[in-house]
Amino acid sequence: MTSALSVLVTDYESGCNKNLKPQWALRTDFENPALDCEKRCGALDIVFVIDSSESVGLTNYTLEKNFVINTVSRLGSIAKDPKALSGTRIGVVQYSHEGTFEAIQLDDPRIDSLSAFKDAVKKLQWIAGGTWTPSALEYAYNQMIRQSRRDKARVFAVVVTDGRYDPRDNSALLTSLCDKNIVVHAIGIGDMFRRKQESESLRDIACPSGNVTEMSNFVDLVAEEFIDGMEERLCPELAVAHCTQRPVDIVFLLDGSERIGDENFRHARNFVEEVAQRLTLAKQDDDDLNARIAFLQYGGETEQQIAFSLTHNITTIMDSLSQVRYLDSSSNVGSAIIYAINNIVNQQGGRQKAVRRNAELSFVFITDGITDSKNLAEALTSLRKADAMSTVIAVGSDVDSEVLSQLALGDRAAIFREKEFALLSRPGFSDRFIRWIC
């Protein structure tokens, strides 16, 4: 008897089948039951604003809805809880004549899955009236985004229209979504009467003004190449779920000394937030796979602040990080290591180990290495006894290379260098770091 075998071609850096689109990517295979290729976009809010006026026509209106569904299908799972700090939320505003708006709200508790979102979009009906685009943009901000936006979420708006609107509408409202930390993509398409899109209005809508795509036919909206480009704009790179193959307990130690500075401290904290959102976190504390995270900020010899101990709860992680305040102190990394081992790695005065059995313990230092050397030798001995892996993120040119090497336990490959703290969240850097840590 002959059996058919399916061959999975993988990318060895990520373990994900990159030849498949995210919505079709295999979630499991026989040898790696935890293989996970789900798209992960972090905290992301997207509002689609679509023209439902008479000039669009029913066929083109249907293509608009298909464009929305096809694009969202590329972005992975939708947040199950619209109040959660992480995950992707989607809203839709369709508009026509004055005061005629229909919306799928960003925080609608019924939209807790991709299928629920698709059903809601399919139920929208063509209005076939006039075109009050400026007012629709004002509505999208006031009634959709401003009312429910999340502090840590990236916010996008995608506006589909021909750029023309009723002259009785207020043209000043075309910029309603601009200067509000929202990236606005304007897609201008010729209408059913074969009139070209209005380019000047599209540039007013877009933020920045160059975020304009012009096309002749609505069918181009659903072209594979265009959907690919829209996916890349909304959620750059194929963000693969990480740390799924084995258990990893990660302890971040952030230098809170005066040399770092308040702005750089915020950049470093934001980097930890981004990493937490992209990792595949454990489902519970005794999960045999996936990641847990702890965070400690340190200053002088007796200044250590644990924001949270090892946890899999993304809400706890994000809430706790948002409350961390910069110490602006001196630096003693040795004391910080000892404190972390005694209070995070171990519990109850060292009598009970908090790290999961079979989990890799990983310490991640974000520092320039310029520190009081007191207790450092003892701390490094304790780090080795704890069987911990060590990674160092060093920023800037003014660093103590010898201390950085000691913190990395002599492994030069474990030292990640970057020129500025603001660049830590650059996709190339964070991708490389996550592949290393996982």
Side-chain angles (χ1 to χ4, degrees), residues 84-348:
L85 294 177
S86 61
T88 300
R89 303 188 309 173
I90 311 292
V92 179
V93 175
Q94 73 158 342
Y95 69 94
S96 185
H97 45 273
E98 182 180 9
T100 308
F101 312 113
E102 293 182 6
I104 300 171
Q105 295 288 343
L106 280 169
D107 57 357
D108 188 336
R110 296 169 297 180
I111 308 300
D112 59 358
S113 67
L114 182 58
S115 60
F117 175 76
K118 288 180 178 179
D119 288 343
V121 173
K122 290 175 181 177
K123 289 177 182 177
L124 293 174
Q125 299 293 314
W126 180 39
I127 300 173
T131 311
W132 286 61
T133 305
S135 294
L137 298 172
E138 180 188 44
Y139 176 91
Y141 179 69
N142 288 338
Q143 304 301 321
M144 300 276 288
I145 298 172
R146 186 174 66 177
Q147 298 292 334
S148 67
R149 75 184 301 167
R150 299 172 292 174
D151 289 341
K152 303 296 182 182
R154 294 174 295 147
V155 183
F156 290 86
V158 180
V159 183
V160 183
T161 179
D162 58 17
R164 283 182 295 278
Y165 56 90
D166 193 307
R168 293 172 294 176
D169 203 354
N170 183 359
S171 61
L173 299 178
L174 285 172
T175 59
S176 292
L177 296 174
C178 294
D179 299 322
K180 297 178 175 69
N181 199 25
I182 303 169
V183 177
V184 185
H185 297 279
I187 303 172
I189 314 173
D191 62 25
M192 65 180 292
F193 304 112
R194 301 188 182 279
R195 292 177 297 185
K196 290 188 65 176
Q197 60 277 0
E198 181 58 54
S199 299
E200 185 175 348
S201 296
L202 295 171
R203 287 192 292 271
D204 288 338
I205 293 170
C207 310
S209 59
N211 276 359
V212 175
T213 301
E214 298 185 36
M215 51 183 65
S216 301
N217 301 302
F218 276 82
V219 71
D220 295 334
L221 272 177
V222 294
E224 191 78 4
E225 296 81 3
F226 183 69
I227 300 292
D228 287 344
M230 187 55 60
E231 175 193 353
E232 183 65 21
R233 292 186 186 99
L234 298 175
C235 184
E237 91 259 354
L238 181 59
V240 178
H242 295 280
C243 288
T244 61
Q245 304 298 312
R246 58 195 176 89
V248 183
D249 283 343
I250 305 168
V251 181
F252 284 93
L253 291 91
L254 175 57
D255 188 339
S257 67
E258 60 184 356
R259 286 178 50 83
I260 301 299
D262 187 50
E263 183 177 356
N264 289 335
F265 177 82
R266 288 197 300 271
H267 285 308
R269 186 182 61 190
N270 291 342
F271 169 73
V272 176
E273 290 177 352
E274 180 183 338
V275 170
Q277 290 175 350
R278 292 185 57 187
L279 293 176
T280 302
L281 297 176
K283 294 180 174 61
Q284 53 194 22
D285 278 334
D286 59 354
D287 193 344
D288 289 334
L289 295 171
N290 309 328
R292 296 190 306 167
I293 297 176
F295 181 92
L296 179 147
Q297 179 190 187
Y298 67 91
E301 184 177 358
T302 60
E303 293 178 294
Q304 298 89 26
Q305 295 181 353
I306 297 176
F308 51 91
S309 293
L310 288 166
T311 181
H312 63 281
N313 189 314
I314 188 63
T315 301
T316 297
I317 293 169
M318 300 300 286
D319 286 349
S320 300
L321 285 172
S322 69
Q323 296 173 26
V324 173
R325 296 295 176 262
Y326 172 46
L327 281 174
D328 191 15
S329 180
S330 57
S331 174
N332 188 307
V333 70
S335 296
I337 294 170
I338 294 170
Y339 189 88
I341 290 174
N342 289 339
N343 295 277
I344 295 178
V345 176
N346 299 320
Q347 293 177 334
Q348 298 181 357

